[in-house]
Amino acid sequence: MGKPLYVVLTPVRNEAWVLRAFLEATSLWADYIIIADQMSTDGSREIAKEYPKVILVDNERKEMHQAATRRLLFEEAKKIEGEKLLFTLDADEFLSGDFVNTSDWQKIINSRPDDSFCWRWMNLKQGDVTKYSTFQHYYWCVHESEALWEGEFPDNFIHEWRLPWSPQADKSHEFLINDFCSIHLARVNQLRQRNKERFYQVSTVEQDPKKSKISLYRHYHEEEKLEYFDVPENAYRFYENHGLDIWKYVYLDDDGEYYTKEVLGYFKRDGLKKYALLDIWDEDWMKRNGLNDPRTRIQKMLHLYLKKTMPRATSIWVRCIDKLLKLFV
């Protein structure tokens, strides 16, 4: 039996700041890269068209719905003939080390249909590419099967699953990968990431007005209480071996203006008060966009409390106070 095809599934919406780096790197090992572009206006589509391994699919949804985008990607992958390994990498994610020469990569290559694989993120620190934090293992890859195409995604517009799952999924087909991880560049671009998270918070409230603002704050400030490690010297070994400097194609002057435009559109439609409890009111950002802080004194005190207690957010007394506050805000 021959080697299965490596097919990478990537959603894109205005990712020009890092897309060329991603495509240069991923084209070194993937057979196909399916890009589902959601009406990008920053040149992402034009960049994608330059790469022969890219299959460009139009995602014509106006509003963000990431689970729907994943479904679109998998539907396109199904059209490719031959046995396939499907990798769900975003445009700001890169496999680490000399991954193709690891024993875990051999496990993936020699896997059986319906096998799925999870590994960790290496989240580079804001403003410091030599440090990283890591989260729980996440599912990134699956060996296609008939059961896979019958699986479903939850109806999440954000923070979706990467792989479709069937209620009959067999846990014996799930495998943990430790020899490599996914290097995540998003936080390196600090201003863009802040604008992106501002958009995520506003769009979450627009989708679910009853969503706890306390929980949103805690979620988007998790990095403040994370442990950091030194990025290994061999983190980019595979790409270096092929003469590729990823950072040459990463453009940190992109501040994610698209996200700001979307947020301002919500404000124009709904007013500012609806979003006052969100932690999005940076003084410089408001000044640049001609906005006045809509928060009351009490709301500012709430944000101060959340900020001061973030390092101890998992302690019993902070969780109890948070629970009480959720009854009122």
Side-chain angles (χ1 to χ4, degrees):
M1 184 173 63
K3 175 182 80 69
L5 295 169
Y6 304 154
V7 181
V8 178
L9 312 181
T10 304
V12 166
R13 192 173 191 180
N14 293 315
E15 297 287 355
W17 75 280
V18 75
L19 184 58
R20 192 177 298 280
F22 171 79
L23 292 175
E24 289 284 338
T26 309
S27 292
L28 293 173
W29 60 271
D31 296 299
Y32 297 94
I33 306 168
I34 302 177
I35 299 288
D37 179 72
Q38 191 172 5
M39 298 181 291
S40 292
T41 57
D42 67 345
S44 291
R45 292 178 60 84
E46 291 72 21
I47 292 172
K49 289 177 180 178
E50 296 177 21
Y51 292 83
K53 292 185 176 182
V54 168
I55 299 173
L56 185 61
V57 181
D58 289 325
N59 178 3
E60 297 180 347
R61 296 184 69 97
K62 182 179 180 180
E63 302 291 338
M64 174 180 286
H65 195 293
Q66 293 183 345
T69 304
R70 297 289 177 190
R71 285 193 289 269
L72 180 64
L73 286 163
F74 274 85
E75 288 168 4
E76 189 66 25
K78 189 176 181 180
K79 299 175 185 178
I80 298 175
E81 295 185 0
E83 186 179 5
K84 298 180 284 291
L85 283 165
L86 305 174
F87 296 82
T88 59
L89 294 173
D90 287 350
D92 55 8
E93 295 166 349
F94 303 78
L95 298 184
S96 72
D98 191 13
F99 59 94
V100 297
N101 289 316
T102 64
S103 58
D104 275 342
W105 187 257
Q106 292 303 312
K107 291 178 185 176
I108 294 175
I109 293 175
N110 297 307
S111 60
R112 301 167 297 164
D114 208 35
D115 286 351
S116 59
F117 301 89
C118 61
W119 55 80
R120 290 186 182 274
W121 258 307
M122 180 187 291
N123 288 293
L124 299 185
K125 188 178 181 181
Q126 289 190 21
D128 186 354
V129 299
T130 68
K131 302 289 183 181
Y132 76 96
S133 61
T134 186
F135 291 133
Q136 72 278 2
H137 290 82
Y138 205 77
Y139 286 92
W140 303 87
C141 174
V142 63
H143 195 138
E144 72 159 334
S145 67
E146 288 302 317
L148 173 73
W149 306 120
E150 298 173 1
E152 297 180 355
F153 291 95
D155 192 33
N156 290 9
F157 83 99
I158 192 173
H159 301 313
E160 81 297 353
W161 293 350
R162 296 287 180 106
L163 305 179
W165 292 103
S166 167
Q168 290 78 39
D170 186 348
K171 292 288 186 181
S172 67
H173 284 261
E174 299 174 12
F175 298 94
L176 186 66
I177 298 298
N178 291 306
D179 288 349
F180 58 86
C181 60
S182 288
I183 306 174
H184 190 207
L185 270 59
R187 289 182 173 84
V188 172
N189 194 336
Q190 297 181 71
L191 184 54
R192 187 180 194 278
Q193 181 67 11
R194 177 58 174 161
N195 286 333
K196 180 179 180 179
E197 291 180 356
R198 182 181 288 109
F199 165 68
Y200 276 1
Q201 291 184 67
V202 169
S203 56
T204 296
V205 171
E206 194 276 335
Q207 291 276 337
D208 182 8
K210 295 183 179 180
K211 180 73 174 180
S212 167
K213 312 307 184 294
I214 306 293
S215 298
L216 278 174
Y217 184 98
R218 297 299 188 200
H219 175 77
Y220 284 104
H221 286 264
E222 283 184 341
E223 186 163 351
E224 297 174 14
K225 57 185 179 63
L226 295 176
E227 182 180 4
Y228 287 94
F229 308 91
D230 293 330
V231 172
E233 291 184 2
N234 70 343
Y236 306 96
R237 180 66 52 78
F238 172 78
Y239 313 107
E240 292 168 351
N241 288 345
H242 287 81
L244 174 62
D245 177 6
I246 286 175
W247 294 104
K248 177 182 177 181
Y249 300 102
V250 176
Y251 308 109
L252 299 179
D253 56 347
D254 182 335
D255 66 359
E257 182 184 4
Y258 153 76
Y259 294 115
T260 295
K261 289 181 178 178
E262 290 287 306
V263 168
L264 295 178
Y266 284 127
F267 290 171
K268 184 177 180 180
R269 188 190 67 188
D270 301 329
L272 303 185
K273 289 185 179 180
K274 178 178 178 179
Y275 306 103
L277 275 171
L278 296 175
D279 178 46
I280 60 175
W281 307 106
D282 301 351
E283 186 173 346
D284 289 343
W285 182 80
M286 287 189 292
K287 184 177 181 180
R288 286 197 305 271
N289 292 286
L291 301 173
N292 294 317
D293 194 332
R295 293 175 296 173
T296 66
R297 182 176 297 181
I298 292 177
Q299 289 169 336
K300 291 180 180 179
M301 290 175 62
L302 173 64
H303 285 156
L304 181 60
Y305 155 77
L306 292 170
K307 180 179 180 180
K308 294 293 186 181
T309 57
M310 197 62 212
R312 299 176 295 280
T314 57
S315 68
I316 294 176
W317 70 271
V318 172
R319 283 187 290 151
C320 287
I321 295 175
D322 283 2
K323 188 174 181 178
L324 181 63
L325 287 171
K326 288 177 184 179
L327 297 175
F328 302 98
V329 297

